[in-house]
Amino acid sequence: MLLRLAIRDVVLIERLDLDFAAGLTVLTGETGAGKSILLDSLGLALGARADSGLVRTGADQAVVTAEFALPPAHAVAALLDDQGWQSGDTLVLRRIVTKDGRSRAFVDDQPASVGLLAQIGALLIEAHGQHDDRGLLNPAGHRSLLDAFAGHDALLDAARTAHTAFGASAAALAQAEAVLTNARRDEEYLRHVVAELRVLAPQAGEEQRLAAERHTMHEGERAAGELDEVAGLLAADGGVEARLRGAQRRLERTGAKLGGVLDTVLHALDRAALEAEEAVSALAQARATIAYDERRLEATEERLFALRAAARKHQVQPDALAGLAVELEGRIAALDAGEGRVTALKTAHAQALGQLRSACAALSASRTLAAARLDDGVNAELDALKLGKAKFRTRVDPLNDGQWGPEGADRVTFEVATNPGAPFGPLIKIASGGELARFILALKVVLAGAGTAPTLVFDEVDRGIGGAVADAVGDRLSRLATDAQVLVVTHSPQVAARGRHHFRIAKESDAASTRTDVVTLEPKARREEIARMLAGAEITPAARAAADALLRAAR
């Protein structure tokens, strides 16, 4: 609710401080007195476009400050929280415009963007008038207004939940399909490599073992040749031990004739023969232990070279081939599993789509019923507002599948036909200025409580009407004011008499300047103002009596 409005140096207003209260507040005054300046000033504080022409002549800057009381859990609190502001029970919006056209905005005395000011203003005040192209006239908000009127929050929550689940299932399916597509591009290559590695069957540490074995066998090959040559030498001429034994036997015959002179030689030859026999035996045993087999060496080298070739091909170390085989087999297994996952996700996605369709169908059916009730309510108001030949309707049109969103599958549009047989069309394009304001009023009466703004402003909603129709307008404004703060600029005494609070806007001039001022009217002054509105320039006793009658009827 708007509590206070302070205006400094805006066009013809030098200094103005106004206090507002709940209920219906009427603003009256002569044509050209400056009522539009007052509304323009309020708009400035709510983020409207700034213009250096708003700065009063001779002043350096214009300043407008608006203070609001915030209802509990109002949407403004959430908006401010998102911006890092702590909101309280009241909120102060301020706008400064300098004479060179620069603009600054403040929220609770903290610098803010004009965009944020406009967002806040849209949540605090709904302004309706002949040139209004927002609020009820903006089709973008018609669906949410119909939903608030219908009161089907549970259906809306179900549609939002279903849409979230549908979006999540679509994202999961798309990601799984992308992974599968990428994997399939390499599938033939992967399966070929895995088949090769399965045949090769590399083992961890195998390359090092084979290299060592190959080295040992090459060394054994060379050592075996040496040993064979030595063995050949020892075996030449019957063998070294045989020759030693032959020499021993000849010396034994000679030694028998010499009486023991050769005993030492004979013992030495005997020992040498024994040692030679042992050496030949040890040489044979050593030759037998050397690990050299030409066929085994060939097989070892073939296996070693195959491992190293595979490692070069796959740009890994030979010892990593076994791990590579496991990794690639895992990718193939994931590919096979991915196909199953995509199938499962397609099923889940189809189920989510079915749930979304069901939730949206239930919401659409409820909207259609609510639209019929809204149409009946608005059309019932039109006759009293001198719009009896007009018709109002709420169109609920299905959206294409790709346009479905968290709020369902419908486009909602308010339309009117102003004469019998005339085609329906958007409210803002079909209705004239005065009709437009009364259509809005009828809508607001039926939609009472459906909007989020706690303050409603109507600019000359009674233009071009009088008598019983003006009284009907005043009655509906008064009814609206039981649920919201309502400010109305009016030229109708019937409407003015309905106000709980009354401001008179007047323009005063002297030789030096012209100023616009606003006066809060007490009961006696209200009577005089309403009488002026009835009678014109000269207030007659009859006009005062008529004003008294209007005020009594409005109580």
Side-chain angles (χ1 to χ4, degrees):
M1 182 178 77
L2 178 63
L3 297 177
R4 294 174 189 84
L5 182 65
I7 305 173
R8 302 290 185 270
D9 296 320
V10 176
V11 191
L12 299 179
I13 299 176
E14 181 177 355
R15 181 184 184 90
L16 184 62
D17 294 283
L18 297 176
D19 291 329
F20 295 86
L24 176 61
T25 297
V26 297
L27 296 93
T28 64
E30 297 282 1
T31 299
K35 296 183 290 296
S36 62
I37 300 175
L38 192 65
L39 296 184
D40 288 344
S41 298
L42 178 59
L44 198 62
L46 300 174
R49 183 176 178 179
D51 189 314
S52 60
L54 292 172
V55 181
R56 186 176 63 86
T57 301
D60 292 327
Q61 63 182 23
V63 182
V64 181
T65 304
E67 182 179 358
F68 294 86
L70 292 183
H74 192 270
V76 167
L79 176 61
L80 291 176
D81 186 61
D82 289 341
Q83 300 293 325
W85 261 289
Q86 295 295 322
S87 59
D89 295 334
T90 61
L91 183 70
V92 177
L93 307 181
R94 179 175 292 110
R95 188 80 173 277
I96 299 174
V97 181
T98 61
K99 62 183 180 181
D100 58 4
R102 289 180 297 174
S103 168
R104 288 180 291 160
F106 299 85
V107 176
D108 279 344
D109 291 326
Q110 298 184 61
S113 69
V114 175
L116 176 61
L117 209 64
Q119 285 181 277
I120 295 172
L123 294 172
L124 291 174
I125 285 186
E126 286 183 23
H128 303 291
Q130 346 175 27
H131 306 296
D132 184 21
D133 59 355
R134 299 170 297 171
L136 293 178
L137 302 184
N138 186 353
H142 290 175
R143 185 172 61 190
S144 61
L145 287 169
L146 179 62
D147 287 337
F149 175 74
H152 47 213
D153 291 347
L155 294 177
L156 271 172
D157 289 341
R160 289 169 182 144
T161 300
H163 186 268
T164 299
F166 173 74
S169 70
L173 175 59
Q175 182 180 14
E177 287 179 332
V179 170
L180 186 60
T181 299
N182 290 334
R184 278 176 175 160
R185 283 201 296 264
D186 301 329
E187 180 179 7
E188 184 177 349
Y189 170 74
L190 287 174
R191 294 192 185 278
H192 172 72
V193 171
V194 167
E196 283 186 340
L197 292 176
R198 282 174 178 167
V199 172
L200 185 62
Q203 303 295 320
E206 185 180 10
E207 189 262 351
Q208 186 176 2
R209 179 179 60 78
L210 289 173
E213 186 177 341
R214 174 175 178 265
H215 175 75
T216 300
M217 284 194 284
H218 274 299
E219 291 299 322
E221 182 182 14
R222 287 190 292 270
E226 293 290 334
L227 294 182
D228 288 343
E229 287 183 13
V230 171
L233 291 173
L234 293 175
D237 299 327
V240 65
E241 65 275 20
R243 292 197 300 276
L244 287 171
R245 290 297 181 189
Q248 183 182 9
R249 285 192 297 271
R250 290 180 66 180
L251 288 177
E252 283 177 345
R253 290 193 297 271
T254 302
K257 299 175 183 179
L258 297 177
V261 174
L262 298 176
D263 288 348
T264 301
V265 176
L266 290 171
H267 288 309
L269 288 172
D270 184 55
R271 290 195 305 273
L274 290 173
E275 292 289 343
E277 184 179 358
E278 289 180 6
V280 170
S281 176
L283 182 62
Q285 290 177 2
R287 176 64 180 83
T289 61
I290 292 177
Y292 169 68
D293 181 304
E294 186 174 348
R295 284 176 296 182
R296 180 170 176 76
L297 175 60
E298 183 179 345
T300 299
E301 287 185 334
E302 183 179 343
R303 176 69 176 172
L304 179 62
F305 295 156
L307 287 173
R308 287 176 173 173
R312 286 193 299 273
K313 178 180 179 180
H314 299 296
Q315 298 181 347
V316 297
Q317 293 299 316
D319 278 352
L321 285 173
L324 177 64
V326 172
E327 177 190 344
L328 297 182
E329 286 178 348
R331 288 174 62 181
I332 290 176
L335 175 62
D336 295 337
E339 292 176 346
R341 174 171 169 76
V342 167
T343 300
L345 287 174
K346 284 182 177 178
T347 300
H349 184 57
Q351 292 173 345
L353 177 59
Q355 292 170 352
L356 177 61
R357 289 187 187 279
S358 178
C360 287
L363 183 57
S364 295
S366 180
R367 281 173 173 156
T368 300
L369 291 174
R373 289 192 291 112
L374 178 61
D375 294 350
D376 290 343
V378 173
N379 286 320
E381 294 286 332
L382 297 183
D383 189 55
L385 295 173
K386 202 178 178 182
L387 294 169
K389 294 182 180 180
K391 289 292 182 184
F392 172 87
R393 75 175 182 186
T394 305
R395 287 190 57 175
V396 181
D397 296 317
L399 295 169
N400 296 328
D401 288 358
Q403 296 176 306
W404 291 18
E407 310 304 315
D410 306 304
R411 178 186 294 106
V412 176
T413 312
F414 297 155
E415 295 185 335
V416 295
T418 54
N419 293 293
F424 280 89
L427 195 58
I428 194 170
K429 293 184 179 179
I430 299 298
S432 65
E435 292 173 334
L436 192 59
R438 280 176 279 144
F439 271 118
I440 290 172
L441 180 58
L443 262 170
K444 286 306 300 184
V445 169
V446 180
L447 290 171
T452 58
T455 299
L456 307 175
V457 177
F458 289 90
D459 184 12
E460 299 189 12
V461 68
D462 51 3
R463 176 182 286 268
I465 60 172
V469 178
D471 187 61
V473 168
D475 173 66
R476 281 147 182 80
L477 289 169
S478 182
R479 282 157 52 190
L480 273 179
T482 61
D483 296 315
Q485 181 187 44
V486 178
L487 280 61
V488 57
V489 174
T490 181
H491 290 284
S492 168
Q494 291 90 341
V495 173
R498 296 275 182 172
R500 286 181 57 187
H501 317 284
H502 194 149
F503 292 124
R504 180 170 57 81
I505 303 170
K507 185 162 60 175
E508 299 177 357
S509 299
D510 56 29
S513 64
T514 300
R515 297 181 303 278
T516 290
D517 199 7
V518 179
V519 178
T520 302
L521 300 183
E522 297 302 327
K524 185 176 180 180
R526 282 194 69 198
R527 175 193 184 217
E528 288 297 298
E529 174 65 6
I530 294 172
R532 180 198 62 77
M533 297 172 73
L534 286 164
E538 183 179 351
I539 302 176
T540 64
R544 291 189 177 93
D548 289 336
L550 287 176
L551 289 167
R552 284 194 300 270
R555 288 175 187 162

